[in-house]
Amino acid sequence: MDVDLIFRIAAIGIIVAVLNQLLIRSGREEQALMTTLAGLIVVLMMVIQQIDALFQAIKSVFGL
């Protein structure tokens, strides 16, 4: 696992937080919620890819 992954997740979190605050202050709560959900889905997809790589490595180590 790279440190780069942690930085990417942190950057997405910061961008989503700023967009969320901007949208809430402008009265667009629904769009703020959708932005937060989109950010969450992007980060979850990144984590799922890393978990898949972990399981592939475990399979290759144990010859499954």
Side-chain angles (χ1 to χ4, degrees):
M1 185 162 99
D2 294 333
V3 176
D4 184 48
L5 176 68
I6 296 170
F7 287 140
R8 282 189 281 164
I9 291 173
I12 290 171
I14 291 169
I15 291 169
V16 167
V18 169
L19 285 174
N20 191 15
Q21 289 299 315
L22 287 173
L23 289 169
I24 287 176
R25 298 223 189 251
S26 67
R28 297 179 178 172
E29 288 83 13
E30 295 86 12
Q31 291 173 346
L33 178 65
M34 290 299 160
T35 303
T36 304
L37 288 175
L40 179 65
I41 290 170
V42 168
V43 169
L44 283 176
M45 292 301 290
M46 293 168 60
V47 170
I48 287 171
Q49 289 174 354
Q50 293 300 314
I51 291 172
D52 181 49
L54 172 67
F55 283 137
Q56 293 300 325
I58 290 172
K59 277 183 174 179
S60 68
V61 166
F62 293 110
L64 298 175

